[in-house]
């Protein structure tokens, strides 16, 4: 992991963890201060050492150096006392309580985006180091000096957990959906009124029917008022919640200058970064995925695109290369462009690496770079050669219901365009029917809808549109579902981005509406054809089609004679992450999920074994120091099991094992990584090596 600023979500999560752990440490110190029995005091010191060590590991992984340093100093004092079988004296306990206060204050600062070490932290750390050099023996217990008062939350601001804000947005989206339900009920009531008007009523029932009609009129009037109020309220609430969730696009670009500097230093190249559109507000849930995509693309531009200074001089370019990132809002989407003025794509190398896939120097060949494992590098380095970066970018963008385009810049260089919806909860969709099932297509990707003749389509793999001949795919055949009857006339929805178009054959179009998008459950998460689901006002469920997957249909699947079936991705490898720190679990989960792994988590070794009893895993990533059952005990139990003995295990720890570089792998594990020197690429490479 680099020293780039942490994501807002992780900062907030670790800030909450700091608050909880500082209270736990404070309670242990206070209990130790009151302890009279040496045996009880020694056990409290052991518990305190474990708590401090766990916090140190999490702080090291999250790169909060002030907390990590204070924890390390506390460890030194506690370890010395346990070795000497002595009790911590009052002075050191006072320093521990002051450290607990600093942890709590660091949590508040971290939630606001501050990660620097303060002068108070340095002063306290120096005091602890002096105390660690002194004897660990007992001393007179004195009262703790009074601590300074901290400001209360009386400034009009309120800190709220990200999960609560997500839930609020989801509820506002449900309100939008409920408004559609009310409109549907109003339409039903209007239809009933029209039916009532057409009924001829015998004279003796005229009075009763008049009362029913009057009640129906009142019901329709009430429904109209309710529909109007719900619509007005839902629009206002949705707008307020979305505004509260937004952050400037510039936040997604933080750390990119550091990446350019580090790569330039390692490769002898030089480049500068130019950012435009940084003030554009985007949903915070998009920020993390967008940040990862930008980092991969900038690193790719520096490694493959920007030339060394002497090569640039020979071609008449400035010695310092340029990487430009721009953002613009178009309708309900944000369009992010990343381009460089480097050498561009090596098309002969691409063709060799593609091994016959793609043709010429066109878009099909360029699309090959997004395939897993595709790389033109002849050697594997820390920066490239594994063929992972661009696949990760495409997967991350598609998970956001977006698309990624790539092109060669005529004057030299490469350009990537990421198109991502601004809304993460509700989108406007086109409802289509295929084989008696209903599906949804994001209207932002729909170019036009045309009527086609099935016999004409059967004779060709394309249809004529206002944009020319477009490849056509039958949605039913692509999804592998059977029709009961073959309709003679069909509709074709022309979808796609840039030069990649596809005409999707459907049976009929039901309409267009704004709906709440729900995440797919684990059973459908591995199917690339779908990117969400939504409840319709009439109670039916519609799956949201992934237009990017449709646009990637290979030419052989477009032949009328070849059955077009679904294209589910292979079942991803399952990773079990074991750590007692919620922030560490979340960080490791984010890294591994974005690399394509399926992830389950546990907070300690005992819980991990319960997970393994319920479902198998392909690899385990575990901390060492955890409550109930630690990582070494977990590895030992796994190695004794007939069923699990061969399960790969990677330890990620704050301990110094086998020297500073964790060179000795303890306890029968396959690999060991240090938290304070953690690097995401190193973790993923280690996982690929041991699986």
């Amino acid at each position: 992991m680099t020293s780039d600023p942490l994501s807002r979500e992780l900062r907030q999560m670790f800030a909450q963890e700091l608050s909880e752990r500082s209270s736990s440490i404070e309670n242990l110190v206070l209990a130790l201060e009151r302890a009279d029995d040496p045996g009880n005091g020694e056990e409290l010191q052991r518990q305190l050492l474990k708590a401090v060590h766990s916090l140190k590991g999490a702080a090291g992984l999250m790169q909060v150096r002030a907390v990590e340093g204070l924890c390390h100093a506390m460890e030194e004092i506690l370890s010395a006392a346990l070795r000497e079988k002595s009790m911590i004296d009052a002075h050191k306990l006072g320093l521990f309580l002051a450290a607990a206060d600093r942890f709590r204050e660091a949590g508040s600062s971290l939630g606001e985006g501050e990660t620097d070490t303060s002068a108070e932290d340095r002063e306290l750390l120096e005091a602890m180091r002096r105390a660690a050099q002194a004897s660990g023996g007992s001393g007179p217990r004195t009262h703790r000096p009074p601590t300074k008062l901290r400001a209360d939350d009386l400034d009009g601001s309120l800190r709220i957990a990200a999960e609560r804000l997500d839930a609020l947005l989801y509820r506002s989206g449900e309100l939008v959906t409920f408004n559609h339900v009310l409109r549907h009920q109003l339409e039903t009531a209007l239809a009933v009124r029209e039916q009532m008007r057409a009924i001829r009523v015998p004279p003796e029932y005229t009075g009763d029917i008049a009362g029913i009609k009057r009640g129906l009129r009142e019901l329709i009037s009430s429904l109209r008022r309710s529909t109007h109020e719900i619509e007005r309220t839902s629009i206002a609430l949705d707008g307020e919640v979305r505004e509260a969730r937004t952050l400037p696009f510039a936040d997604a670009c933080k750390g990119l200058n550091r990446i350019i500097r580090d790569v330039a230093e390692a490769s002898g190249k030089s480049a500068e970064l130019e950012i435009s559109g940084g003030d554009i507000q985007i949903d915070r849930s998009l920020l993390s995925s967008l940040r990862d995509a930008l980092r991969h693309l900038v690193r790719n531009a520096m490694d493959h695109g920007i030339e060394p200074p002497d090569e640039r001089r020979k071609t008449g370019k400035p010695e310092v290369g340029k990487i430009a990132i721009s953002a613009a809002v178009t309708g309900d989407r944000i369009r992010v462009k990343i381009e460089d003025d480097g050498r561009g794509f090596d098309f002969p190398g691409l063709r060799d690496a593609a091994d016959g896939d793609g043709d010429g120097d066109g878009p099909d060949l360029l699309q090959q770079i997004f395939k897993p494992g595709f790389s033109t590098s002849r050697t594997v380095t820390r920066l490239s050669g594994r063929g992972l970066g661009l696949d990760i970018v495409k997967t991350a963008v598609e998970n956001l219901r977006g698309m990624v385009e790539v092109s060669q810049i005529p004057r030299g260089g490469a350009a990537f365009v990421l198109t991502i919806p601004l809304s993460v909860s509700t989108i406007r969709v086109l409802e289509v029917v295929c084989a008696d099932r209903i599906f949804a297509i994001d209207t932002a990707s729909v170019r036009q809808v045309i009527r086609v003749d099935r016999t004409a389509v059967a004779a060709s793999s394309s249809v004529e549109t206002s944009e020319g001949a477009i490849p056509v795919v039958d949605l039913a055949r692509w999804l592998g579902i059977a029709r009961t009857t073959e309709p003679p006339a069909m509709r074709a929805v022309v979808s796609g981005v840039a030069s990649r178009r596809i005409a999707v054959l459907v049976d009929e179009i039901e309409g267009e509406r704004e709906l709440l998008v729900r995440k797919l459950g684990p059973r459908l998460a591995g199917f690339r054809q779908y990117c969400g689901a939504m409840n319709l006002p009439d109670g039916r469920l519609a799956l949201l089609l992934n237009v990017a997957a449709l646009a990637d249909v290979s030419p052989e699947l477009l032949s009328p004679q070849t059955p077009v079936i679904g294209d589910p991705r292979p079942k991803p490898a399952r990773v079990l992450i074991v750590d007692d720190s919620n922030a560490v679990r979340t960080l490791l989960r984010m890294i591994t999920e974005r690399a394509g792994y399926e992830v389950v988590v546990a907070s300690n070794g005992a819980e991990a074994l319960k997970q393994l009893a319920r479902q198998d895993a392909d690899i385990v990533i575990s901390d060492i120091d955890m409550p109930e059952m630690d990582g070494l005990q977990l590895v030992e139990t796994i190695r004794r099991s007939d069923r699990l003995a061969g399960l790969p295990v990677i330890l990620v720890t704050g301990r110094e094992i086998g020297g500073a570089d964790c060179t000795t792998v303890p306890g029968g594990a396959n690999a060991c990584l240090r938290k304070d020197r953690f690097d995401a690429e190193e973790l993923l490479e280690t996982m690929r090596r041991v699986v």
Side-chain angles (χ1 to χ4, degrees):
M1 183 175 179
T2 67
S3 57
D4 299 326
L6 299 170
S7 72
R8 184 185 180 91
E9 181 180 354
L10 283 173
R11 283 204 310 268
Q12 291 176 339
M13 191 173 296
F14 186 60
Q16 178 65 29
E17 183 172 327
L18 269 174
S19 175
E20 294 170 357
R21 289 188 183 268
S22 62
S23 297
S24 175
I25 289 171
E26 185 178 79
N27 290 335
L28 284 170
V29 173
L30 292 174
L32 192 56
E33 196 172 43
R34 295 190 298 267
D36 296 323
D37 178 52
N40 184 38
E42 183 176 354
E43 177 58 28
L44 286 171
Q45 287 182 161
R46 290 188 187 280
Q47 292 180 27
L48 183 57
L49 178 60
K50 287 183 178 180
V52 170
H53 179 78
S54 293
L55 179 57
K56 186 188 85 168
L61 193 60
M62 302 299 291
Q63 299 184 355
V64 184
R65 300 308 181 198
V67 173
E68 183 186 20
L70 289 173
C71 287
H72 183 74
M74 293 174 72
E75 269 189 320
E76 293 290 310
I77 295 173
L78 286 164
S79 298
L82 287 169
R83 283 196 307 269
E84 298 168 8
K85 297 187 180 302
S86 60
M87 294 284 288
I88 301 292
D89 62 37
H91 173 65
K92 292 170 184 172
L93 290 177
L95 293 175
F96 286 4
L97 289 172
D101 287 342
R102 295 304 306 156
F103 297 158
R104 193 174 289 110
E105 292 175 14
S108 300
S109 301
L110 192 63
E112 297 166 0
E114 299 177 14
T115 58
D116 294 335
T117 303
S118 68
E120 290 174 299
D121 292 328
R122 289 190 289 270
E123 183 179 349
L124 179 58
L125 182 59
E126 184 58 34
M128 283 204 181
R129 285 171 177 165
R130 289 195 298 268
Q133 294 171 357
S135 170
S138 303
R141 295 290 174 94
T142 60
H143 291 292
R144 178 190 174 202
T147 58
K148 64 177 183 178
L149 295 176
R150 293 187 294 270
D152 204 349
D153 293 330
L154 300 176
D155 58 354
S157 63
L158 176 65
R159 192 171 294 123
I160 183 171
E163 293 81 5
R164 296 282 182 89
L165 207 54
D166 288 342
L168 193 58
L169 179 65
Y170 183 78
R171 295 304 179 194
S172 72
E174 284 186 328
L175 200 57
V176 173
T177 302
F178 182 64
N179 182 55
H180 291 305
V181 174
L182 271 181
R183 285 188 175 277
H184 182 72
Q185 292 174 349
L186 177 59
E187 291 168 1
T188 303
L190 289 169
V192 172
R193 186 179 67 178
E194 291 303 314
Q195 292 174 355
M196 288 288 295
R197 288 174 176 173
I199 296 175
R200 294 186 179 276
V201 182
E204 61 269 25
Y205 296 112
T206 302
D208 295 335
I209 294 300
I212 293 174
K213 288 182 177 179
R214 185 168 54 253
L216 191 55
R217 282 196 304 271
E218 291 174 358
L219 174 61
I220 290 172
S221 178
S222 176
L223 278 173
R224 278 180 173 150
R225 287 195 301 272
S226 297
T227 302
H228 176 73
E229 288 299 318
I230 288 290
E231 182 175 25
R232 183 181 61 82
T233 304
S234 63
I235 291 174
L237 176 60
D238 192 64
E240 291 289 345
V241 175
R242 289 182 192 281
E243 186 174 348
R245 286 171 53 93
T246 59
L247 292 168
F249 170 73
D251 281 13
C253 301
K254 288 182 177 178
L256 297 182
N257 274 312
R258 178 61 185 271
I259 290 176
I260 291 175
R261 175 193 172 278
D262 290 348
V263 176
E265 190 175 80
S267 62
K269 301 176 181 179
S270 181
E272 59 184 10
L273 179 67
E274 180 182 286
I275 298 173
S276 58
D279 293 335
I280 293 175
Q281 297 292 311
I282 62 174
D283 192 286
R284 66 160 193 84
S285 63
L286 303 177
L287 201 66
S288 179
S289 295
L290 193 53
R291 178 187 290 115
D292 284 350
L294 291 177
R295 289 178 178 178
H296 279 292
L297 291 173
V298 166
R299 191 178 287 113
N300 187 74
M302 284 295 296
D303 191 36
H304 294 286
I306 301 298
E307 313 95 326
D310 56 346
E311 184 178 331
R312 292 180 66 87
R313 280 196 303 269
K314 292 177 183 177
T315 57
K317 295 181 180 179
E319 290 188 11
V320 179
K322 181 180 177 182
I323 299 175
I325 299 177
S326 60
V329 174
T330 305
D332 61 351
R333 302 219 154 199
I334 182 172
R335 191 171 183 268
V336 181
K337 186 174 185 180
I338 305 96
E339 58 181 341
D340 63 75
D341 67 347
R343 60 172 65 95
F345 292 101
D346 173 18
F347 284 100
L350 287 176
R351 281 190 291 272
D352 290 343
D355 195 23
D357 292 336
D359 57 347
D361 294 349
D364 287 342
L365 180 59
L366 287 180
Q367 286 297 317
Q368 302 302 312
I369 66 177
F370 294 110
K371 286 188 174 181
F374 185 92
S375 177
T376 57
S377 293
R378 293 184 174 88
T379 58
V380 175
T381 68
R382 184 177 177 85
L383 295 177
S384 64
R386 302 183 179 96
L388 289 171
L390 294 180
D391 173 46
I392 292 173
V393 170
K394 185 176 184 182
T395 301
V397 172
E398 288 185 3
N399 287 341
L400 296 173
R401 306 194 308 275
M403 295 182 181
V404 55
E405 308 163 47
V406 58
S407 61
Q408 173 90 320
I409 299 175
R411 64 181 182 276
F416 292 83
V417 177
L418 316 180
T419 307
I420 301 171
L422 288 170
S423 171
V424 294
S425 62
T426 57
I427 61 171
R428 194 153 194 85
V429 298
L430 189 69
E431 298 171 16
V432 300
V433 177
C434 182
D436 299 323
R437 295 171 174 85
I438 189 162
F439 300 94
I441 301 176
D442 189 345
T443 56
S445 64
V446 176
R447 309 286 295 186
Q448 63 182 119
V449 178
I450 58 176
R451 186 179 294 274
V452 297
D453 184 84
R454 184 165 186 82
T455 56
V457 171
S460 173
S461 59
S462 64
V463 294
E464 288 297 327
T465 71
S466 60
E467 301 183 26
I470 302 291
V472 63
V473 60
D474 188 336
L475 182 60
R477 291 164 59 204
W478 185 63
L479 296 176
I481 56 180
R483 289 186 176 91
T484 55
T485 60
E486 294 290 341
M490 305 184 72
R491 297 292 186 95
V493 181
V494 180
S495 303
V497 292
S499 59
R500 300 185 67 79
R501 299 280 189 270
I502 193 77
V504 186
L505 288 182
V506 299
D507 297 352
E508 58 182 290
I509 306 293
E510 276 215 350
E512 182 181 333
R513 69 174 85 240
E514 188 175 13
L515 292 172
L516 173 69
V517 182
R518 298 175 182 271
K519 291 183 179 180
L520 295 172
R523 292 187 178 182
L524 289 176
F527 288 83
R528 189 171 173 240
Q529 298 99 314
Y530 312 114
C531 55
M534 43 195 56
N535 287 110
L536 303 179
D538 59 5
R540 290 179 298 170
L541 182 71
L543 290 172
L544 181 63
L545 296 174
N546 183 357
V547 177
L550 277 166
D552 285 344
V553 171
S554 56
E556 62 268 18
L557 294 180
L558 300 174
S559 170
Q561 287 76 34
T562 305
V564 182
I565 60 174
D567 181 30
R569 287 183 172 178
K571 183 176 178 59
R574 178 179 289 127
V575 182
L576 173 58
I577 294 173
V578 193
D579 201 294
D580 59 332
S581 167
N582 184 33
V584 172
R585 289 197 305 270
T586 302
L587 177 60
L588 294 176
R589 181 173 196 158
M590 290 168 61
I591 292 170
T592 50
E593 279 184 340
R594 285 169 189 160
Y597 293 94
E598 179 185 337
V599 180
V600 290
V601 297
S603 60
N604 56 61
E607 187 179 328
L609 291 177
K610 292 179 182 177
Q611 290 274 18
L612 291 171
R614 288 195 294 267
Q615 56 183 342
D616 290 332
D618 298 295
I619 186 171
V620 174
I621 302 174
S622 177
D623 186 20
I624 290 183
D625 297 283
M626 298 177 291
E628 293 192 49
M629 177 184 283
D630 64 28
L632 296 179
Q633 293 170 324
L634 173 61
V635 176
E636 182 182 355
T637 306
I638 288 174
R639 294 293 176 252
R640 289 202 309 263
S641 168
D642 293 336
R643 183 173 66 89
L644 303 173
L647 180 62
V649 181
I650 298 175
L651 296 175
V652 182
T653 180
R655 287 189 184 184
E656 291 190 5
I657 297 176
D661 295 326
C662 198
T663 52
T664 301
V665 180
N670 298 79
C672 178
L673 302 176
R674 286 285 300 275
K675 286 183 176 180
D676 57 348
R677 294 171 176 81
F678 181 78
D679 181 270
E681 290 294 334
E682 182 184 6
L683 171 66
L684 295 175
E685 177 60 26
T686 304
M687 291 172 66
R688 289 187 290 273
R689 177 168 54 82
V690 303
V691 172

